Amino acid sequence: MDLFDAAMTTESGTPDIADHSPLAVRMRPKTIDQVIGQSDALAPGGPMWRLLQPDSTAVSSIVLWGPPGTGKTTLAYLVADTSGREFVELSAVSSGVKEVRSVIAAAKRRLGATGAETVLFIDEVHRFSKSQQDALLPAVENKWIVLIAATTENPAFSVISPLLSRSLLVTLSSL
């Protein structure tokens, strides 16, 4: 992260919504109360609701599945902000195993040193190869990260079964 990237993020690592951001980013809900729709996914006691709690260890991995524009990225940002966790975002389109391992190593160090958890949001996870998805397994199993993976493709066909079996699947619907 350079000086300019640092100026464009909040303390937790989520993007700072500045005037130069695209309209869709500026209009994103800033709190869970501002989210319209997705009442099933955000129901009290549900997996997303549990992730919003700062001390929740019940959920370590969620796969958000839904069409574009249903709030997958927004929900990931809000989970990190609301729960006080560090936020790291990777896109499967432009990232590889090297970046994934680097984020996991940093998250593991942070967790050991300060007890602070990290939300790793992977957008377009269906674009990761099998070996790239395999790189996530130890971190999910050992709870070094809270994984939130987003996909527009059916996870039964696009996410490897070992990762899917360790994740809660949350289906988001269009408004």
Side-chain angles (χ1 to χ4, degrees):
M1 179 181 303
D2 64 18
L3 177 64
F4 298 104
D5 289 336
M8 294 173 49
T9 59
T10 64
E11 285 183 29
S12 67
T14 57
D16 186 18
I17 311 304
D19 289 341
H20 62 277
S21 298
L23 180 61
V25 173
R26 288 182 293 188
M27 291 185 66
R28 265 194 185 129
K30 293 172 184 58
T31 66
I32 285 295
D33 296 334
Q34 294 175 347
V35 174
I36 297 173
Q38 311 312 345
S39 56
D40 289 342
L42 295 170
M48 291 300 296
W49 183 86
R50 286 185 282 166
L51 267 181
L52 292 165
Q53 311 311 310
D55 56 353
S56 173
T57 57
V59 180
S60 65
S61 179
I62 286 190
V63 175
L64 298 175
W65 173 32
T70 53
K72 297 179 291 292
T73 303
T74 298
L75 289 175
Y77 288 144
L78 291 175
V79 163
D81 262 353
T82 303
S83 65
R85 294 178 176 104
E86 191 74 20
F87 182 83
V88 179
E89 179 179 5
L90 294 177
S91 172
V93 174
S94 58
S95 301
V97 172
K98 180 180 177 184
E99 291 88 355
V100 168
R101 287 188 178 144
S102 174
V103 169
I104 291 170
K108 190 175 173 184
R109 282 191 304 274
R110 186 179 307 110
L111 185 62
T114 66
E117 294 181 330
T118 302
V119 170
L120 172 56
F121 174 63
I122 300 183
D123 198 13
E124 308 285 343
V125 71
H126 61 272
R127 295 191 179 233
F128 266 169
S129 69
K130 180 185 182 315
S131 64
Q132 289 170 311
Q133 291 182 37
D134 279 338
L136 296 165
L137 288 174
V140 169
E141 290 171 342
N142 293 303
K143 297 187 177 188
W144 297 330
I145 60 165
V146 173
L147 175 67
I148 301 179
T151 182
T152 56
E153 302 294 322
N154 186 336
F157 301 110
S158 60
V159 177
I160 61 170
S161 55
L163 185 57
L164 202 53
S165 72
R166 290 160 178 82
S167 304
L168 292 172
L169 178 61
V170 177
T171 305
L172 303 179
S173 57
S174 299
L175 293 177

